[in-house]
């Protein structure tokens, strides 16, 4: 069984990758946990239909921050179809930690931002050209 | 402060001539500080107070009416010894100097324009000082934070000395009479600034009484949280601003002055760490963190490891509030505000 908080989770929490904002993102979506208050905004920029830049910003617990940081690495170079196929299990697995059921919502918050962002991106095709 | 400006506008619409009484010096104890004002209108309106009412204010009203009749300024010295104080029921036993200046509101260049200029500066988040030569109160110098000045005390030497003194008093946020020049001429410095503001990060149960009490104390209040279900008008009926979003991102957009008090009530590192990274370097008057000494030490260690300077960490008040044995949310709120009041008066 993996550790409660793996070294990779703690490293991404203490040194989050791709933290910040993009000047003109193609996708920007912010999600929050209504009770515990984690709030994460994910931003993506496409170049030739693939993610060329990814950033996240937010105030979250170690799990949600590390998950957002890892997600910004997972999405680089992916196209919309591949982004859609990123699964819960894939992100959970990347954390290499024993995420308890009560904390799954924290771990999946950035993925929720990605999915909502993709949904908006698809439903507003004119704005995306 | 806002009360003063509101009084001015009310009088401007209702009176033609008013007397402006200003508490310019106190010796011993006094219920009000230098800068307190009372307005006495020719038509009988009275706004404000230089004490807490009673005999002293009554004398000021009588002197104001005489100043309006003669239309000459006067400096009234009220030397109340202890015996007199008890006799007339003035329990504070202090001596007061009150400057009374008649103002003709029908003249376009009347003194209220000076206060409107101060209000404009304050609305822009700046401090401003009006320096008045007490032996000739028509000589005034307005000094606005950032270098703008208007008027004169009569000589360039006095003006230069007054600017230096004004900057010091702006920093302290107090009004005071100071002797200037080779003749030690008393000059009253009336300091104005943005209203003290309390910014609370975390819309929890401690924040609710904290904001209500702060409102009663005259502070502008701002509550920040990421949760719309917590940061509601229903929970914070007295709050001036409710801001919902990423707390540390909101923190970056706020203005921090020597009149800003920041309290982190979330008791959650997910807010505490990123918000402290923004607010401590901004150097407001106060940054307090809800939590035990042990928790505070852990938070400081994390920030220190992340590269924050020790001098900034030393500014953090944790546990926030005076140790009065507070247990309930309201008591904790009281202890926090007691600490900010003590800081304000350098106690």
């Amino acid at each position: 069984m993996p550790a409660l908080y793996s070294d990779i989770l703690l490293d991404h929490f203490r040194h989050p990758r791709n933290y910040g904002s993009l000047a003109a993102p193609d996708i920007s979506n912010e999600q929050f946990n209504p009770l515990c208050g984690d709030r994460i905004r994910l931003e993506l920029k496409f170049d030739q239909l693939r993610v060329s830049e990814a950033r996240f910003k937010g105030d979250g617990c170690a799990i949600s921050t590390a998950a957002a940081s890892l997600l910004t690495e997972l999405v680089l170079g992916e196209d919309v179809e591949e982004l859609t196929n990123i699964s819960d299990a894939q992100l959970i697995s990347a954390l290499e930690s024993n995420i308890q059921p009560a904390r799954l919502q924290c771990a999946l918050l950035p993925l929720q931002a990605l999915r909502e962002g993709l949904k908006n991106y698809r439903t507003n095709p004119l704005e995306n050209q | 402060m806002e009360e003063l400006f509101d009084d001015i506008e009310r009088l401007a619409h209702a009176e033609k001539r008013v007397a402006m009484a200003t508490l310019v010096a106190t010796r011993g104890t006094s219920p009000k500080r230098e800068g307190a004002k009372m307005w006495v209108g020719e038509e009988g309106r009275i706004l404000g107070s230089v004490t807490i009412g009673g005999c002293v204010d009554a004398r000021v009203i009588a002197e104001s009416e005489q100043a309006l009749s003669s239309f000459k300024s006067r400096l009234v010295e009220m030397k109340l010894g202890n015996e007199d104080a008890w006799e007339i029921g003035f329990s504070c036993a202090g001596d007061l100097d009150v400057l009374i200046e008649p103002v003709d509101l029908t003249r376009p260049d009347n003194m209220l324009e000076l206060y409107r200029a101060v209000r404009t500066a304050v609305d822009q988040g700046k401090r401003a000082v009006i320096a008045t030569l007490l032996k000739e109160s028509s000589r005034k110098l307005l000094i606005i934070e950032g270098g703008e000045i208007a008027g004169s005390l009569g000589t360039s030497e006095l003006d230069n000395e007054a600017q230096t003194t004004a900057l010091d008093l702006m920093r302290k946020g107090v009004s005071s009479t100071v002797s200037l020049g080779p003749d030690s001429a008393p000059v009253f410095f009336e300091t104005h600034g943005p209203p003290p503001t309390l910014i609370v990060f975390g819309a929890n149960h401690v924040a609710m009484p904290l904001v209500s009490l702060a409102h009663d104390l005259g502070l502008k209040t701002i509550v920040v949280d990421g949760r719309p279900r917590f940061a509601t008008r229903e929970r914070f009926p007295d709050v001036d601003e409710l801001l919902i979003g990423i707390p540390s991102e909101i923190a970056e957009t706020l203005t921090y002055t020597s009149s800003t008090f920041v309290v982190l009530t979330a008791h959650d590192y997910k807010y505490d760490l990123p918000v402290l990274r923004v607010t401590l370097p901004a150097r407001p008057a106060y940054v307090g963190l809800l939590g035990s000494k042990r928790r505070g030490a852990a938070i400081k260690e994390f920030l220190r490891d992340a590269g924050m300077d020790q001098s900034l960490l030393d500014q953090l008040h944790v546990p926030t509030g005076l140790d009065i044995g507070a247990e309930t949310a309201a008591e904790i709120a009281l202890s926090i505000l007691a600490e900010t009041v003590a800081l304000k008066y350098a106690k």
Side-chain angles (χ1 to χ4, degrees):
Chain A
M1 176 170 291
L4 199 60
Y5 287 85
S6 68
D7 287 345
I8 196 164
L9 186 152
L10 291 173
D11 184 48
H12 275 262
F13 169 59
R14 286 179 176 265
H15 309 288
R17 280 49 150 192
N18 302 311
Y19 189 87
S21 302
L22 293 173
D26 295 305
I27 286 178
S28 177
N29 191 270
E30 188 172 311
Q31 294 292 320
F32 65 96
N33 287 336
L35 297 182
C36 67
D38 297 67
R39 194 175 264 269
I40 300 286
R41 185 191 308 128
L42 182 71
E43 295 182 342
L44 303 181
K45 182 80 180 165
F46 290 103
D47 183 23
Q48 297 186 349
L49 302 177
R50 291 191 176 273
V51 175
S52 58
E53 290 181 278
R55 297 282 187 280
F56 86 95
K57 204 167 190 185
D59 295 342
C61 63
I63 294 173
S64 65
T65 302
S69 174
L70 280 161
L71 185 62
T72 59
E73 293 188 329
L74 284 174
V75 298
L76 281 176
E78 305 285 79
D79 64 19
V80 170
E81 204 56 42
E82 288 162 338
L83 292 172
T84 309
N85 291 332
I86 296 175
S87 67
D88 294 2
Q90 198 176 342
L91 184 58
I92 299 291
S93 170
L95 289 167
E96 296 181 8
S97 301
N98 182 19
I99 306 297
Q100 299 295 305
R103 305 299 299 279
L104 276 176
Q105 199 180 4
C106 304
L108 298 176
L109 188 67
L111 201 51
Q112 191 183 335
L114 173 63
R115 288 168 181 161
E116 288 300 315
L118 283 169
K119 199 187 294 178
N120 295 337
Y121 185 72
R122 283 177 163 141
T123 53
N124 299 295
L126 286 177
E127 293 176 17
N128 304 326
Q129 289 174 5
Chain B
M1 190 63 204
E2 286 179 354
E3 188 179 298
L4 164 67
F5 295 133
D6 290 344
D7 285 351
I8 287 172
E9 296 309 326
R10 284 162 67 187
L11 286 167
H13 287 98
E15 297 274 359
K16 288 181 179 169
R17 302 201 314 171
V18 295
M20 179 178 77
T22 307
L23 183 59
V24 295
T26 63
R27 292 170 292 280
T29 56
S30 167
K32 290 215 171 182
R33 290 183 170 249
E34 287 89 343
K37 280 193 189 298
M38 175 187 270
W39 303 86
V40 179
E42 203 172 40
E43 301 296 322
R45 290 175 182 81
I46 298 166
L47 295 173
S49 166
V50 292
T51 66
I52 51 174
C55 298
V56 175
D57 272 355
R59 277 183 63 186
V60 173
I61 292 166
E63 294 277 357
S64 294
E65 286 169 345
Q66 289 174 31
L68 277 172
S69 295
S70 63
F71 213 74
K72 284 185 179 170
S73 296
R74 57 180 64 195
L75 185 64
V76 181
E77 297 179 20
M78 300 181 180
K79 297 189 178 298
L80 298 175
N82 282 332
E83 288 177 12
D84 290 339
W86 285 112
E87 207 169 295
I88 64 171
F90 181 65
S91 58
C92 298
D95 294 348
L96 313 173
D97 292 348
V98 179
L99 175 67
I100 301 174
E101 300 167 272
V103 185
D104 185 344
L105 297 173
T106 62
R107 288 185 53 174
D109 61 341
N110 72 68
M111 202 194 309
L112 299 199
E113 292 307 317
L114 191 64
Y115 282 91
R116 288 187 175 122
V118 170
R119 180 171 207 167
T120 300
V122 167
D123 286 346
Q124 292 169 352
K126 296 177 183 172
R127 292 177 178 271
V129 171
I130 299 172
T132 302
L133 193 64
L134 288 181
K135 66 181 180 185
E136 195 176 348
S137 65
S138 61
R139 294 193 183 278
K140 292 180 187 292
L141 178 68
L142 170 64
I143 304 125
I144 295 174
E145 189 177 6
E148 189 182 338
I149 61 167
S152 174
L153 293 176
T155 68
S156 57
E157 290 81 6
L158 274 180
D159 289 349
N160 289 337
E161 208 175 326
Q163 285 180 60
T164 305
T165 304
L167 290 176
D168 181 50
L169 293 171
M170 272 183 201
R171 189 176 51 77
K172 293 176 181 168
V174 296
S175 299
S176 183
T177 293
V178 178
S179 295
L180 301 182
D183 302 329
S184 295
V187 175
F188 178 60
F189 292 83
E190 186 179 328
T191 302
H192 298 274
T197 302
L198 174 71
I199 306 174
V200 183
F201 290 92
N204 64 3
H205 66 296
V206 173
M208 291 162 67
L210 182 61
V211 167
S212 294
L213 284 172
H215 174 79
D216 290 344
L217 290 173
L219 276 77
K220 178 186 174 188
T221 55
I222 300 172
V223 170
V224 182
D225 203 296
R227 302 164 297 179
R229 191 167 165 187
F230 285 76
T232 65
R233 277 274 157 205
E234 189 177 11
R235 285 165 61 84
F236 296 94
D238 297 320
V239 75
D240 293 293
E241 287 183 59
L242 271 177
L243 302 175
I244 299 167
I246 298 171
S248 63
E249 191 173 62
I250 292 170
E252 287 171 354
T253 68
L254 299 174
T255 301
Y256 304 89
T257 70
S258 55
S259 302
T260 307
F261 301 92
V262 174
V263 181
L264 292 86
T265 57
H267 204 269
D268 190 333
Y269 71 89
K270 77 162 74 84
Y271 284 3
D272 294 341
L273 291 170
V275 168
L276 287 172
R277 282 192 184 110
V278 177
T279 54
L280 282 172
R283 294 189 179 276
Y286 177 90
V287 182
L289 176 70
L290 191 67
S292 65
K293 285 182 182 172
R294 187 162 163 258
R295 182 170 184 274
I299 292 276
K300 284 183 175 183
E301 188 181 343
F302 191 99
L303 292 171
R304 194 182 299 112
D305 289 348
M308 185 172 281
D309 194 80
Q310 185 62 41
S311 65
L312 292 178
L313 293 170
D314 290 342
Q315 301 301 310
L316 180 61
H317 294 251
V318 56
T320 181
L322 296 181
D323 184 2
I324 57 171
E327 291 187 6
T328 67
E331 289 168 353
I332 293 168
L334 178 66
S335 77
I336 294 169
L337 288 169
E339 187 170 33
T340 64
V341 169
L343 191 77
K344 180 179 169 188
Y345 296 117
K347 295 291 183 186

